[in-house]
Amino acid sequence: MRVNRKNLFVAMALWMAAMGQAGAQGTFCNPLNLEYRFNLETGTYREAADPMVVLYQGDYYLFASKSGGYWWSEDFTDWHFVAPDKPLDIEKYAPAVWQIGEWMYYTSSESGAIYRSKNPKSGRWYKVCDNPHPWNDPWIFVDDDQRVYAYWGSGESGGISCCELDPDDNFKPLTEDVVCIKTNREEHGYEVGGDNNEGGNPWTEGAAMFKHEGKYYLTYAVPGTQLRSYCDGYYVSDSPMGPFTVGKNSPATFKSRGFVTGVGHGGLFTDKTGRIWTIDCVNIANKHWFERRLAVFPVTVEEDGLLHTHTALGDYPLYVPGQVPEGHENASKGWNLLSYGKKAKISSLRDNRLGKFALDEDMRTFWSAGDGNEGQWLSVDLGTVCTVNAVQPNFYEHEAVCMDGRDRERATKYVIECSEDEKTWQVIVDRSGTELDLTHDYTELPEPVEARYVRITNKGEVPGGGCFALSDFRVFGTAKGDKPAAVGGVKVERSASDRRCARLSWDASSGAEGYLVRFGIAPDKLWNHYMVWGETALYIRSLITGASYYYRVDALNGSGVTEGTEVYDDQGAGTSIVACVAEGSKP
């Protein structure tokens, strides 16, 4: 019997991936795929926040608030959790970690005590001193000359302060406190509260310092962690203590629409190749303001010193830090979303949480089966046979309760199958034997498959004892068909009375499922964006009053992205948008 070697290889590779034996993946997909801990007070929602990543002794270390410990990884894919021994107080908000010599140091908000370890993988830490200086949301920065600086601040309409510390005398302050920046919502639209910056005072927090080619970049988070508009603004200086000038294109990290939204309060880091990234919170805020996840995006510092984060399609598959090929500045793998707005079939329903809510690119909505029993399922019809490269089930804790933080008795067990005709099914992911509780369990298939239908089936009792529920079941690859037509009829109106605001509208593009509205301070600096699904108009309220902006509208579907053929400016535009900030989020 003749054997088709190619088909045999594909079948073996798929089987290995399904069994969890395919090795480290070359891509990842935000939110990060970690064992997020249930909140210890209510046990009903998961939380991880205020993250930072440090590269220490050749490994990545990831710290995040309310996680009961921290993670380390050699390759940024396979993460190992460490529950540290006492005396380290791991339960305070806003961990800050830095390195001096062979020692890794740790502090946080509230207690502010400082600890250190030469072997953080072991979980053994030693207390250095009690709080040397009152601070909330601290960030400790060690300059090239080994001088040490602290940055902090957390409050309504507040600011960020700093001082120099003495590492040879229990990190006692060497200088008086200096106010680095203050909130300026009258000029900075991105600092205004609301999911779409429509109104409210900001909560300013989450300072972080990063040095690049002699420049000091101070990032800070506004306007509130519970908001989709949560972001990282930035200022720049020639000195670690200022004076600081706002970045012309601030905010540096902004993503208020799409699946992942509300990215703020994190910090920049470099991977093993020297490429810059940022790690930030991700907003959900369904059950509580502090219901959050984590995300990582690539960052570029331009030759003129402007800093920006690549968040456009940053919740699609990206190359793993340390494995990004040359020429892929945004780290995108180039796979498209196939599942948005498609038809779903479900095994059962609870509380009117419809199947369509698992296909709407909104982490605040979700489908729930009638219970958490084995056998509950959801199937998506992609509409036509597509090339499928990756899948990302995002599970949600509907009616789950886990007072122990992590449910070690129950894991997230499931299988994913695909089919061309809804009759013959092929298993492409098998997690029926896992012992992990991974709520954003992204899998890159070792070889693409051709499929029209993709189905996920529960294979065990749900962690926390809740229902089998999905905030989104995302399928990535390429659809067989044309990309959408280029967008035309774009109109830009900048408010004459409130220059923080602009209104865009455009003609519907043939074949488009969604739009990327890109904007920035120059035609070649369209670095911030809004993702728009099912609409052809948008209010932007995140602008800086003294800057002129340029705009482009791209169209996208499962076959790819079609860039807009023209860039539009708002110079001299002043129309009837009189109360832009006071209005709702829709035009």
mmCIF file of all heavy atoms in Angstrom, residues 152-162 177-192 201-205 207 218-222 233-236 241-247 250 544:
data_model
loop_
_atom_site.group_PDB
_atom_site.id
_atom_site.type_symbol
_atom_site.label_atom_id
_atom_site.label_comp_id
_atom_site.label_asym_id
_atom_site.label_seq_id
_atom_site.Cartn_x
_atom_site.Cartn_y
_atom_site.Cartn_z
ATOM 1 N N TRP A 152 6.171 56.815 41.422
ATOM 2 C CA TRP A 152 4.929 56.347 42.030
ATOM 3 C C TRP A 152 3.810 57.368 41.826
ATOM 4 O O TRP A 152 4.055 58.508 41.434
ATOM 5 C CB TRP A 152 5.123 56.086 43.531
ATOM 6 C CG TRP A 152 5.360 57.349 44.328
ATOM 7 C CD1 TRP A 152 4.415 58.146 44.929
ATOM 8 C CD2 TRP A 152 6.621 57.986 44.564
ATOM 9 N NE1 TRP A 152 5.012 59.230 45.535
ATOM 10 C CE2 TRP A 152 6.360 59.143 45.331
ATOM 11 C CE3 TRP A 152 7.949 57.694 44.223
ATOM 12 C CZ2 TRP A 152 7.383 60.011 45.744
ATOM 13 C CZ3 TRP A 152 8.961 58.550 44.640
ATOM 14 C CH2 TRP A 152 8.659 59.689 45.390
ATOM 15 N N GLY A 153 2.594 56.957 42.131
ATOM 16 C CA GLY A 153 1.433 57.837 42.077
ATOM 17 C C GLY A 153 0.183 57.053 41.770
ATOM 18 O O GLY A 153 0.195 56.171 40.897
ATOM 19 N N SER A 154 -0.906 57.334 42.482
ATOM 20 C CA SER A 154 -2.189 56.683 42.238
ATOM 21 C C SER A 154 -3.271 57.519 42.890
ATOM 22 O O SER A 154 -3.373 57.588 44.119
ATOM 23 C CB SER A 154 -2.194 55.259 42.825
ATOM 24 O OG SER A 154 -3.433 54.632 42.612
ATOM 25 N N GLY A 155 -4.100 58.178 42.070
ATOM 26 C CA GLY A 155 -5.146 59.001 42.632
ATOM 27 C C GLY A 155 -5.971 59.685 41.563
ATOM 28 O O GLY A 155 -5.566 59.778 40.400
ATOM 29 N N GLU A 156 -7.142 60.165 41.955
ATOM 30 C CA GLU A 156 -8.028 60.856 41.032
ATOM 31 C C GLU A 156 -7.429 62.192 40.633
ATOM 32 O O GLU A 156 -7.047 62.989 41.485
ATOM 33 C CB GLU A 156 -9.411 61.057 41.660
ATOM 34 C CG GLU A 156 -10.420 61.654 40.696
ATOM 35 C CD GLU A 156 -11.809 61.756 41.291
ATOM 36 O OE1 GLU A 156 -11.948 61.534 42.516
ATOM 37 O OE2 GLU A 156 -12.758 62.062 40.540
ATOM 38 N N SER A 157 -7.351 62.427 39.314
ATOM 39 C CA SER A 157 -6.776 63.668 38.770
ATOM 40 C C SER A 157 -5.411 63.952 39.391
ATOM 41 O O SER A 157 -5.064 65.095 39.680
ATOM 42 C CB SER A 157 -7.725 64.850 38.993
ATOM 43 O OG SER A 157 -8.963 64.613 38.367
ATOM 44 N N GLY A 158 -4.656 62.894 39.600
ATOM 45 C CA GLY A 158 -3.384 63.007 40.288
ATOM 46 C C GLY A 158 -2.212 63.155 39.345
ATOM 47 O O GLY A 158 -2.337 63.657 38.232
ATOM 48 N N GLY A 159 -1.055 62.680 39.800
ATOM 49 C CA GLY A 159 0.156 62.798 39.011
ATOM 50 C C GLY A 159 1.147 61.718 39.392
ATOM 51 O O GLY A 159 0.850 60.807 40.166
ATOM 52 N N ILE A 160 2.348 61.837 38.846
ATOM 53 C CA ILE A 160 3.428 60.896 39.086
ATOM 54 C C ILE A 160 4.613 61.657 39.680
ATOM 55 O O ILE A 160 4.992 62.721 39.186
ATOM 56 C CB ILE A 160 3.856 60.191 37.794
ATOM 57 C CG1 ILE A 160 2.666 59.471 37.163
ATOM 58 C CG2 ILE A 160 5.012 59.237 38.056
ATOM 59 C CD1 ILE A 160 2.052 58.381 38.011
ATOM 60 N N SER A 161 5.188 61.099 40.739
ATOM 61 C CA SER A 161 6.336 61.702 41.411
ATOM 62 C C SER A 161 7.523 60.748 41.384
ATOM 63 O O SER A 161 7.392 59.560 41.069
ATOM 64 C CB SER A 161 5.996 62.058 42.860
ATOM 65 O OG SER A 161 4.929 62.984 42.925
ATOM 66 N N CYS A 162 8.705 61.273 41.741
ATOM 67 C CA CYS A 162 9.890 60.433 41.777
ATOM 68 C C CYS A 162 10.892 60.971 42.791
ATOM 69 O O CYS A 162 10.795 62.109 43.258
ATOM 70 C CB CYS A 162 10.540 60.340 40.404
ATOM 71 S SG CYS A 162 11.444 61.813 39.894
ATOM 72 N N ASP A 177 11.219 64.665 47.011
ATOM 73 C CA ASP A 177 10.302 64.205 45.982
ATOM 74 C C ASP A 177 10.125 65.267 44.898
ATOM 75 O O ASP A 177 10.062 66.472 45.198
ATOM 76 C CB ASP A 177 8.933 63.891 46.586
ATOM 77 C CG ASP A 177 8.989 62.743 47.581
ATOM 78 O OD1 ASP A 177 10.053 62.075 47.662
ATOM 79 O OD2 ASP A 177 7.973 62.514 48.263
ATOM 80 N N VAL A 178 10.043 64.812 43.665
ATOM 81 C CA VAL A 178 9.837 65.697 42.522
ATOM 82 C C VAL A 178 8.568 65.254 41.799
ATOM 83 O O VAL A 178 8.389 64.063 41.523
ATOM 84 C CB VAL A 178 11.029 65.642 41.547
ATOM 85 C CG1 VAL A 178 10.724 66.414 40.275
ATOM 86 C CG2 VAL A 178 12.289 66.168 42.210
ATOM 87 N N VAL A 179 7.667 66.197 41.512
ATOM 88 C CA VAL A 179 6.478 65.894 40.719
ATOM 89 C C VAL A 179 6.884 65.876 39.251
ATOM 90 O O VAL A 179 7.282 66.895 38.694
ATOM 91 C CB VAL A 179 5.359 66.909 40.976
ATOM 92 C CG1 VAL A 179 4.168 66.614 40.060
ATOM 93 C CG2 VAL A 179 4.932 66.893 42.430
ATOM 94 N N CYS A 180 6.776 64.715 38.624
ATOM 95 C CA CYS A 180 7.185 64.570 37.223
ATOM 96 C C CYS A 180 6.124 65.092 36.270
ATOM 97 O O CYS A 180 6.416 65.841 35.337
ATOM 98 C CB CYS A 180 7.466 63.102 36.916
ATOM 99 S SG CYS A 180 8.718 62.325 37.938
ATOM 100 N N ILE A 181 4.866 64.643 36.479
ATOM 101 C CA ILE A 181 3.769 65.033 35.604
ATOM 102 C C ILE A 181 2.499 65.160 36.428
ATOM 103 O O ILE A 181 2.376 64.568 37.505
ATOM 104 C CB ILE A 181 3.536 64.017 34.469
ATOM 105 C CG1 ILE A 181 3.132 62.658 35.046
ATOM 106 C CG2 ILE A 181 4.778 63.878 33.611
ATOM 107 C CD1 ILE A 181 2.699 61.656 33.996
ATOM 108 N N LYS A 182 1.557 65.917 35.917
ATOM 109 C CA LYS A 182 0.219 66.005 36.485
ATOM 110 C C LYS A 182 -0.806 65.744 35.395
ATOM 111 O O LYS A 182 -0.565 66.011 34.220
ATOM 112 C CB LYS A 182 -0.015 67.397 37.097
ATOM 113 C CG LYS A 182 0.813 67.680 38.343
ATOM 114 C CD LYS A 182 0.448 69.033 38.923
ATOM 115 C CE LYS A 182 1.211 69.306 40.210
ATOM 116 N NZ LYS A 182 0.874 70.635 40.805
ATOM 117 N N THR A 183 -1.951 65.244 35.816
ATOM 118 C CA THR A 183 -3.026 65.001 34.860
ATOM 119 C C THR A 183 -3.413 66.299 34.163
ATOM 120 O O THR A 183 -3.490 67.365 34.792
ATOM 121 C CB THR A 183 -4.253 64.417 35.574
ATOM 122 O OG1 THR A 183 -3.871 63.191 36.202
ATOM 123 C CG2 THR A 183 -5.368 64.134 34.585
ATOM 124 N N ASN A 184 -3.687 66.213 32.862
ATOM 125 C CA ASN A 184 -4.042 67.387 32.080
ATOM 126 C C ASN A 184 -5.193 67.032 31.141
ATOM 127 O O ASN A 184 -5.050 67.044 29.926
ATOM 128 C CB ASN A 184 -2.826 67.884 31.297
ATOM 129 C CG ASN A 184 -3.106 69.159 30.527
ATOM 130 O OD1 ASN A 184 -4.157 69.779 30.692
ATOM 131 N ND2 ASN A 184 -2.175 69.545 29.678
ATOM 132 N N ARG A 185 -6.339 66.711 31.720
ATOM 133 C CA ARG A 185 -7.483 66.268 30.921
ATOM 134 C C ARG A 185 -8.061 67.383 30.054
ATOM 135 O O ARG A 185 -8.768 67.103 29.066
ATOM 136 C CB ARG A 185 -8.576 65.703 31.814
ATOM 137 C CG ARG A 185 -9.228 66.685 32.756
ATOM 138 C CD ARG A 185 -10.362 66.021 33.526
ATOM 139 N NE ARG A 185 -11.447 65.660 32.645
ATOM 140 C CZ ARG A 185 -12.705 66.058 32.812
ATOM 141 N NH1 ARG A 185 -13.022 66.848 33.817
ATOM 142 N NH2 ARG A 185 -13.643 65.671 31.981
ATOM 143 N N GLU A 186 -7.771 68.626 30.369
ATOM 144 C CA GLU A 186 -8.286 69.725 29.546
ATOM 145 C C GLU A 186 -7.639 69.736 28.164
ATOM 146 O O GLU A 186 -8.231 70.227 27.205
ATOM 147 C CB GLU A 186 -8.044 71.068 30.246
ATOM 148 C CG GLU A 186 -8.741 71.194 31.592
ATOM 149 C CD GLU A 186 -10.242 70.961 31.485
ATOM 150 O OE1 GLU A 186 -10.856 71.464 30.522
ATOM 151 O OE2 GLU A 186 -10.794 70.269 32.362
ATOM 152 N N GLU A 187 -6.428 69.198 28.057
ATOM 153 C CA GLU A 187 -5.740 69.167 26.777
ATOM 154 C C GLU A 187 -5.570 67.749 26.225
ATOM 155 O O GLU A 187 -5.419 67.578 25.017
ATOM 156 C CB GLU A 187 -4.362 69.831 26.897
ATOM 157 C CG GLU A 187 -4.423 71.308 27.236
ATOM 158 C CD GLU A 187 -3.049 71.949 27.269
ATOM 159 O OE1 GLU A 187 -2.064 71.287 26.858
ATOM 160 O OE2 GLU A 187 -2.945 73.107 27.707
ATOM 161 N N HIS A 188 -5.583 66.751 27.101
ATOM 162 C CA HIS A 188 -5.350 65.369 26.680
ATOM 163 C C HIS A 188 -6.657 64.594 26.720
ATOM 164 O O HIS A 188 -7.122 64.181 27.787
ATOM 165 C CB HIS A 188 -4.323 64.701 27.600
ATOM 166 C CG HIS A 188 -3.006 65.401 27.647
ATOM 167 N ND1 HIS A 188 -2.072 65.185 28.642
ATOM 168 C CD2 HIS A 188 -2.463 66.326 26.815
ATOM 169 C CE1 HIS A 188 -1.010 65.935 28.420
ATOM 170 N NE2 HIS A 188 -1.223 66.640 27.318
ATOM 171 N N GLY A 189 -7.270 64.383 25.568
ATOM 172 C CA GLY A 189 -8.547 63.689 25.530
ATOM 173 C C GLY A 189 -8.479 62.282 26.076
ATOM 174 O O GLY A 189 -9.452 61.791 26.668
ATOM 175 N N TYR A 190 -7.348 61.603 25.904
ATOM 176 C CA TYR A 190 -7.218 60.222 26.376
ATOM 177 C C TYR A 190 -7.213 60.123 27.894
ATOM 178 O O TYR A 190 -7.341 59.022 28.439
ATOM 179 C CB TYR A 190 -5.963 59.566 25.792
ATOM 180 C CG TYR A 190 -4.656 60.201 26.207
ATOM 181 C CD1 TYR A 190 -4.003 59.804 27.365
ATOM 182 C CD2 TYR A 190 -4.056 61.198 25.431
ATOM 183 C CE1 TYR A 190 -2.799 60.374 27.745
ATOM 184 C CE2 TYR A 190 -2.860 61.773 25.801
ATOM 185 C CZ TYR A 190 -2.228 61.362 26.955
ATOM 186 O OH TYR A 190 -1.042 61.945 27.337
ATOM 187 N N GLU A 191 -7.086 61.245 28.591
ATOM 188 C CA GLU A 191 -7.134 61.235 30.050
ATOM 189 C C GLU A 191 -8.542 61.421 30.595
ATOM 190 O O GLU A 191 -8.766 61.309 31.806
ATOM 191 C CB GLU A 191 -6.224 62.325 30.616
ATOM 192 C CG GLU A 191 -4.742 62.085 30.357
ATOM 193 C CD GLU A 191 -3.856 63.106 31.028
ATOM 194 O OE1 GLU A 191 -4.390 64.088 31.599
ATOM 195 O OE2 GLU A 191 -2.625 62.942 30.984
ATOM 196 N N VAL A 192 -9.522 61.703 29.730
ATOM 197 C CA VAL A 192 -10.903 61.914 30.164
ATOM 198 C C VAL A 192 -11.557 60.556 30.432
ATOM 199 O O VAL A 192 -11.363 59.594 29.682
ATOM 200 C CB VAL A 192 -11.690 62.688 29.099
ATOM 201 C CG1 VAL A 192 -13.149 62.859 29.530
ATOM 202 C CG2 VAL A 192 -11.044 64.043 28.853
ATOM 203 N N ASN A 201 -13.512 62.405 35.597
ATOM 204 C CA ASN A 201 -12.133 62.627 36.012
ATOM 205 C C ASN A 201 -11.312 61.353 35.870
ATOM 206 O O ASN A 201 -11.817 60.253 36.086
ATOM 207 C CB ASN A 201 -12.081 63.100 37.472
ATOM 208 C CG ASN A 201 -12.615 64.497 37.655
ATOM 209 O OD1 ASN A 201 -12.519 65.332 36.755
ATOM 210 N ND2 ASN A 201 -13.182 64.771 38.812
ATOM 211 N N PRO A 202 -10.045 61.483 35.528
ATOM 212 C CA PRO A 202 -9.207 60.299 35.385
ATOM 213 C C PRO A 202 -8.627 59.851 36.713
ATOM 214 O O PRO A 202 -8.468 60.648 37.657
ATOM 215 C CB PRO A 202 -8.085 60.790 34.468
ATOM 216 C CG PRO A 202 -7.946 62.248 34.826
ATOM 217 C CD PRO A 202 -9.348 62.723 35.149
ATOM 218 N N TRP A 203 -8.325 58.575 36.809
ATOM 219 C CA TRP A 203 -7.511 58.035 37.885
ATOM 220 C C TRP A 203 -6.123 57.813 37.288
ATOM 221 O O TRP A 203 -5.951 57.025 36.366
ATOM 222 C CB TRP A 203 -8.089 56.736 38.413
ATOM 223 C CG TRP A 203 -7.414 56.296 39.678
ATOM 224 C CD1 TRP A 203 -6.279 55.550 39.789
ATOM 225 C CD2 TRP A 203 -7.817 56.591 41.015
ATOM 226 N NE1 TRP A 203 -5.943 55.360 41.103
ATOM 227 C CE2 TRP A 203 -6.878 55.990 41.888
ATOM 228 C CE3 TRP A 203 -8.877 57.309 41.560
ATOM 229 C CZ2 TRP A 203 -6.977 56.078 43.271
ATOM 230 C CZ3 TRP A 203 -8.976 57.383 42.940
ATOM 231 C CH2 TRP A 203 -8.042 56.786 43.780
ATOM 232 N N THR A 204 -5.147 58.529 37.815
ATOM 233 C CA THR A 204 -3.788 58.486 37.279
ATOM 234 C C THR A 204 -2.943 57.561 38.137
ATOM 235 O O THR A 204 -2.908 57.696 39.363
ATOM 236 C CB THR A 204 -3.171 59.898 37.256
ATOM 237 O OG1 THR A 204 -4.056 60.786 36.578
ATOM 238 C CG2 THR A 204 -1.821 59.884 36.554
ATOM 239 N N GLU A 205 -2.228 56.631 37.507
ATOM 240 C CA GLU A 205 -1.509 55.599 38.257
ATOM 241 C C GLU A 205 -0.489 54.931 37.351
ATOM 242 O O GLU A 205 -0.271 55.337 36.206
ATOM 243 C CB GLU A 205 -2.492 54.554 38.783
ATOM 244 C CG GLU A 205 -3.282 53.861 37.677
ATOM 245 C CD GLU A 205 -4.393 52.960 38.207
ATOM 246 O OE1 GLU A 205 -4.537 52.845 39.425
ATOM 247 O OE2 GLU A 205 -5.093 52.361 37.372
ATOM 248 N N ALA A 207 2.933 54.272 37.092
ATOM 249 C CA ALA A 207 4.141 54.825 36.493
ATOM 250 C C ALA A 207 5.111 53.709 36.109
ATOM 251 O O ALA A 207 5.209 52.681 36.776
ATOM 252 C CB ALA A 207 4.821 55.777 37.467
ATOM 253 N N LEU A 218 8.752 58.003 30.496
ATOM 254 C CA LEU A 218 7.906 57.799 31.664
ATOM 255 C C LEU A 218 6.485 57.540 31.178
ATOM 256 O O LEU A 218 5.834 58.427 30.616
ATOM 257 C CB LEU A 218 7.939 59.034 32.571
ATOM 258 C CG LEU A 218 7.034 59.000 33.807
ATOM 259 C CD1 LEU A 218 7.425 57.854 34.733
ATOM 260 C CD2 LEU A 218 7.080 60.333 34.544
ATOM 261 N N THR A 219 5.997 56.314 31.383
ATOM 262 C CA THR A 219 4.626 55.988 31.019
ATOM 263 C C THR A 219 3.749 55.991 32.266
ATOM 264 O O THR A 219 4.236 55.800 33.390
ATOM 265 C CB THR A 219 4.536 54.618 30.325
ATOM 266 O OG1 THR A 219 5.027 53.605 31.203
ATOM 267 C CG2 THR A 219 5.359 54.611 29.043
ATOM 268 N N TYR A 220 2.460 56.233 32.073
ATOM 269 C CA TYR A 220 1.504 56.290 33.182
ATOM 270 C C TYR A 220 0.138 55.876 32.650
ATOM 271 O O TYR A 220 -0.144 55.995 31.453
ATOM 272 C CB TYR A 220 1.442 57.700 33.773
ATOM 273 C CG TYR A 220 0.891 58.743 32.818
ATOM 274 C CD1 TYR A 220 -0.393 59.249 32.974
ATOM 275 C CD2 TYR A 220 1.654 59.203 31.738
ATOM 276 C CE1 TYR A 220 -0.903 60.204 32.095
ATOM 277 C CE2 TYR A 220 1.163 60.148 30.853
ATOM 278 C CZ TYR A 220 -0.114 60.645 31.034
ATOM 279 O OH TYR A 220 -0.630 61.581 30.155
ATOM 280 N N ALA A 221 -0.715 55.365 33.529
ATOM 281 C CA ALA A 221 -2.009 54.822 33.124
ATOM 282 C C ALA A 221 -3.141 55.768 33.503
ATOM 283 O O ALA A 221 -3.200 56.278 34.627
ATOM 284 C CB ALA A 221 -2.236 53.458 33.772
ATOM 285 N N VAL A 222 -4.063 55.966 32.556
ATOM 286 C CA VAL A 222 -5.295 56.747 32.726
ATOM 287 C C VAL A 222 -6.344 56.158 31.775
ATOM 288 O O VAL A 222 -5.992 55.447 30.845
ATOM 289 C CB VAL A 222 -5.071 58.243 32.381
ATOM 290 C CG1 VAL A 222 -4.331 58.988 33.465
ATOM 291 C CG2 VAL A 222 -4.379 58.403 31.029
ATOM 292 N N GLY A 233 -0.321 56.737 28.697
ATOM 293 C CA GLY A 233 0.275 57.933 28.133
ATOM 294 C C GLY A 233 1.771 57.921 28.387
ATOM 295 O O GLY A 233 2.285 57.107 29.152
ATOM 296 N N TYR A 234 2.496 58.864 27.760
ATOM 297 C CA TYR A 234 3.926 58.910 28.039
ATOM 298 C C TYR A 234 4.489 60.319 27.921
ATOM 299 O O TYR A 234 3.985 61.156 27.173
ATOM 300 C CB TYR A 234 4.695 57.936 27.157
ATOM 301 C CG TYR A 234 5.083 58.436 25.769
ATOM 302 C CD1 TYR A 234 6.365 58.926 25.520
ATOM 303 C CD2 TYR A 234 4.193 58.371 24.705
ATOM 304 C CE1 TYR A 234 6.742 59.358 24.247
ATOM 305 C CE2 TYR A 234 4.560 58.792 23.436
ATOM 306 C CZ TYR A 234 5.838 59.288 23.209
ATOM 307 O OH TYR A 234 6.193 59.713 21.943
ATOM 308 N N TYR A 235 5.526 60.532 28.722
ATOM 309 C CA TYR A 235 6.336 61.748 28.686
ATOM 310 C C TYR A 235 7.786 61.337 28.471
ATOM 311 O O TYR A 235 8.168 60.178 28.717
ATOM 312 C CB TYR A 235 6.222 62.521 29.997
ATOM 313 C CG TYR A 235 4.955 63.333 30.156
ATOM 314 C CD1 TYR A 235 3.714 62.717 30.327
ATOM 315 C CD2 TYR A 235 4.991 64.727 30.149
ATOM 316 C CE1 TYR A 235 2.557 63.457 30.482
ATOM 317 C CE2 TYR A 235 3.838 65.477 30.312
ATOM 318 C CZ TYR A 235 2.627 64.843 30.473
ATOM 319 O OH TYR A 235 1.485 65.592 30.633
ATOM 320 N N VAL A 236 8.619 62.280 28.024
ATOM 321 C CA VAL A 236 10.020 61.972 27.732
ATOM 322 C C VAL A 236 10.918 63.070 28.306
ATOM 323 O O VAL A 236 10.508 64.227 28.432
ATOM 324 C CB VAL A 236 10.235 61.814 26.213
ATOM 325 C CG1 VAL A 236 9.964 63.124 25.483
ATOM 326 C CG2 VAL A 236 11.621 61.284 25.899
ATOM 327 N N MET A 241 14.879 62.401 36.334
ATOM 328 C CA MET A 241 13.984 63.155 37.204
ATOM 329 C C MET A 241 13.375 64.373 36.513
ATOM 330 O O MET A 241 12.792 65.228 37.161
ATOM 331 C CB MET A 241 14.718 63.562 38.491
ATOM 332 C CG MET A 241 15.179 62.372 39.317
ATOM 333 S SD MET A 241 15.980 62.813 40.874
ATOM 334 C CE MET A 241 14.574 63.452 41.810
ATOM 335 N N GLY A 242 13.498 64.416 35.187
ATOM 336 C CA GLY A 242 12.867 65.482 34.435
ATOM 337 C C GLY A 242 13.750 66.693 34.225
ATOM 338 O O GLY A 242 14.932 66.659 34.548
ATOM 339 N N PRO A 243 13.163 67.768 33.657
ATOM 340 C CA PRO A 243 11.739 67.958 33.360
ATOM 341 C C PRO A 243 11.255 67.082 32.201
ATOM 342 O O PRO A 243 12.013 66.746 31.313
ATOM 343 C CB PRO A 243 11.645 69.435 33.011
ATOM 344 C CG PRO A 243 13.009 69.762 32.460
ATOM 345 C CD PRO A 243 13.965 68.948 33.263
ATOM 346 N N PHE A 244 9.956 66.748 32.243
ATOM 347 C CA PHE A 244 9.354 65.852 31.268
ATOM 348 C C PHE A 244 8.428 66.622 30.329
ATOM 349 O O PHE A 244 7.736 67.552 30.748
ATOM 350 C CB PHE A 244 8.558 64.761 31.973
ATOM 351 C CG PHE A 244 9.415 63.765 32.698
ATOM 352 C CD1 PHE A 244 9.747 63.944 34.035
ATOM 353 C CD2 PHE A 244 9.890 62.643 32.037
ATOM 354 C CE1 PHE A 244 10.530 63.027 34.702
ATOM 355 C CE2 PHE A 244 10.680 61.711 32.698
ATOM 356 C CZ PHE A 244 11.006 61.902 34.025
ATOM 357 N N THR A 245 8.422 66.197 29.066
ATOM 358 C CA THR A 245 7.561 66.768 28.039
ATOM 359 C C THR A 245 6.673 65.674 27.474
ATOM 360 O O THR A 245 7.145 64.570 27.183
ATOM 361 C CB THR A 245 8.393 67.382 26.895
ATOM 362 O OG1 THR A 245 9.277 68.367 27.424
ATOM 363 C CG2 THR A 245 7.492 68.012 25.849
ATOM 364 N N VAL A 246 5.389 65.961 27.316
ATOM 365 C CA VAL A 246 4.467 64.941 26.832
ATOM 366 C C VAL A 246 4.863 64.480 25.440
ATOM 367 O O VAL A 246 5.303 65.279 24.594
ATOM 368 C CB VAL A 246 3.013 65.462 26.843
ATOM 369 C CG1 VAL A 246 2.811 66.572 25.816
ATOM 370 C CG2 VAL A 246 2.027 64.317 26.609
ATOM 371 N N GLY A 247 4.780 63.169 25.184
ATOM 372 C CA GLY A 247 5.037 62.656 23.850
ATOM 373 C C GLY A 247 4.036 63.207 22.858
ATOM 374 O O GLY A 247 2.826 63.212 23.122
ATOM 375 N N SER A 250 1.297 60.826 22.213
ATOM 376 C CA SER A 250 0.703 60.148 23.360
ATOM 377 C C SER A 250 -0.813 60.004 23.158
ATOM 378 O O SER A 250 -1.442 60.899 22.591
ATOM 379 C CB SER A 250 1.006 60.949 24.622
ATOM 380 O OG SER A 250 0.613 60.265 25.779
ATOM 381 N N ILE A 544 -5.033 65.157 21.480
ATOM 382 C CA ILE A 544 -4.374 66.246 22.200
ATOM 383 C C ILE A 544 -4.744 67.554 21.509
ATOM 384 O O ILE A 544 -4.656 67.661 20.273
ATOM 385 C CB ILE A 544 -2.850 66.053 22.223
ATOM 386 C CG1 ILE A 544 -2.497 64.801 23.034
ATOM 387 C CG2 ILE A 544 -2.151 67.272 22.799
ATOM 388 C CD1 ILE A 544 -1.010 64.483 23.059
#
